[in-house]
Amino acid sequence: MNTFKVSVQETSNKAIVKFEVNQFITQHQSFEFNNIDEAKESPLAQQLFYLPFVKKVYISGNFIAVERYNIVEWNDVQDEVAEQIEAYLNDGGIVVENTAATKKVPVTVYAESTPNPAVMKFVANKKIVTALFEFTSIEEAKHSPLATELFHFPFVKSVFIDENYVSVTKFDITEWQDITIEIREFIRNYIESGKDVVLPGAEETLQKSTKQLDKNYEALDDISKEIVNILEEYVKPAVASDGGNIQFIAYNSDEKNVSVMLQGACSGCPSSTYTLKSGIENMLKEMLPGKVETVEAING
């Protein structure tokens, strides 16, 4: 059985807290319950309504948002609620019955060009995965039904999936103007149908769960940790906006060299060398003086 982990996320509304799950608990569907009677088709929501301070429950994708009455503060009860949800899920509790009415949220997907002319980014209006995944062949894509389907298009070379978007790399046999609408509509229909984007447990199998990533981070030396933190804060948001990712691989203290992997739109991008040398390398040399001299990509 897959292990569910629940974390507490604050929202801009002090009365509402999101309990984020490390995997999807609905098939890209959304449900809203205002009281225990409305929640009759959601055993999980009913359990939450037994707590006297719960006013409203909203379930969508990989989170449960709960609105409270003012009789308590979230700081006093949120950890216990997170533990209760986590225990319920790990005991095999039903989130919502198949007959439950969804709160209809239309799926939209728009295409966005990237600095890499071979890559197009398709952005959805909802979260579709809880970790990033890259597949360079249909054999690798066995953990992702969506990527497997995309590889059935003869012009698809690789697929990169992050929180709310899919970056598709094409072969040179066709132009984006001829295939963009077709791929965009395919992805939109796929998400709207509620099918798995990646299989349950794919994070664990591919060593991408939060627990596994934290364990890998803790095993690093201090300088490597500093490099990872700089990449996470200053570099990843920028490359993610371009439909890609940068991943720390290794640090050689003798040569003062940093090795990284470029993924998605960043892999094979004509501007990636300039980005590495004029951007990332200079940043690390400035922020870690005397510790970093060069940055190299093992691919891209």
Side-chain angles (χ1 to χ4, degrees):
M1 180 178 290
N2 298 316
T3 302
F4 291 92
K5 296 292 182 183
V6 178
S7 60
V8 178
Q9 306 290 333
E10 294 182 354
T11 71
S12 56
N13 185 334
K14 291 184 177 181
I16 298 175
V17 160
K18 283 175 65 176
F19 297 93
E20 194 164 289
V21 187
N22 64 335
Q23 53 190 286
F24 284 87
I25 54 175
T26 74
Q27 294 298 316
H28 306 291
Q29 300 163 306
S30 299
F31 304 88
E32 186 175 304
F33 307 105
N34 294 291
N35 55 58
I36 197 168
D37 288 336
E38 287 187 7
K40 61 186 178 182
E41 292 179 311
S42 172
L44 172 57
Q46 283 198 320
Q47 288 284 327
L48 291 170
F49 276 116
Y50 283 121
L51 300 171
F53 53 83
V54 171
K55 181 179 181 181
K56 183 181 292 188
V57 177
Y58 182 82
I59 303 174
S60 181
N62 71 316
F63 71 87
I64 302 103
V66 179
E67 183 176 354
R68 63 169 172 79
Y69 288 107
N70 291 329
I71 58 174
V72 297
E73 295 296 329
W74 272 122
N75 285 339
D76 298 328
V77 296
Q78 62 190 25
D79 291 340
E80 288 81 0
V81 175
E83 290 174 7
Q84 179 177 330
I85 294 172
E86 190 172 294
Y88 180 88
L89 294 173
N90 283 315
D91 284 342
I94 296 172
V95 177
V96 288
E97 304 283 0
N98 292 332
T99 54
T102 64
K103 183 181 175 64
K104 186 66 174 177
V105 179
V107 174
T108 61
V109 174
Y110 68 87
E112 185 178 284
S113 59
T114 75
N116 188 338
V119 180
M120 189 70 71
K121 180 180 177 184
F122 298 89
V123 186
N125 64 331
K126 57 174 60 184
K127 191 169 185 174
I128 58 174
V129 290
T130 57
L132 61 86
F133 301 88
E134 183 173 43
F135 308 101
T136 58
S137 69
I138 195 167
E139 289 86 2
E140 287 185 6
K142 62 185 178 181
H143 297 288
S144 171
L146 171 58
T148 299
E149 293 275 355
L150 285 169
F151 276 114
H152 288 148
F153 291 99
F155 44 75
V156 171
K157 183 179 181 181
S158 65
V159 179
F160 178 83
I161 308 174
D162 204 351
E163 187 164 311
N164 70 325
Y165 69 85
V166 181
S167 288
V168 176
T169 304
K170 70 174 180 64
F171 287 106
D172 292 334
I173 59 172
T174 189
E175 298 300 322
W176 280 119
Q177 62 190 30
D178 300 323
I179 59 176
T180 297
I181 294 176
E182 182 181 7
I183 297 180
R184 186 190 70 198
E185 284 304 297
F186 173 81
I187 292 173
R188 185 187 67 80
N189 290 331
Y190 187 97
I191 295 171
E192 197 167 57
S193 71
K195 291 188 264 185
D196 287 329
V197 175
V198 295
L199 295 176
E203 284 185 28
E204 296 281 343
T205 304
L206 298 174
Q207 300 287 303
K208 291 178 178 291
S209 71
T210 300
K211 182 179 180 180
Q212 290 161 331
L213 294 176
D214 288 346
K215 183 179 179 180
N216 293 339
Y217 175 80
E218 291 304 324
L220 297 173
D221 60 84
D222 290 342
I223 297 176
S224 294
K225 287 180 179 177
E226 289 186 73
I227 293 169
V228 170
N229 291 338
I230 291 170
L231 294 177
E232 289 284 342
E233 183 173 356
Y234 297 102
V235 181
K236 280 198 174 186
V239 297
S241 69
D242 288 336
N245 182 58
I246 184 169
Q247 181 179 331
F248 172 81
I249 299 299
Y251 169 68
N252 185 311
S253 58
D254 294 329
E255 298 179 5
K256 299 179 181 179
N257 173 261
V258 178
S259 299
V260 298
M261 178 186 291
L262 298 177
Q263 298 175 296
C266 298
S267 180
C269 179
S271 62
S272 62
T273 300
Y274 177 82
T275 301
L276 276 174
K277 296 300 178 184
S278 298
I280 300 167
E281 186 174 274
N282 287 344
M283 179 187 295
L284 290 174
K285 288 166 71 173
E286 181 178 329
M287 299 183 76
L288 299 171
K291 298 175 182 176
V292 174
E293 290 297 331
T294 57
V295 176
E296 63 178 3
I298 65 169
N299 68 336

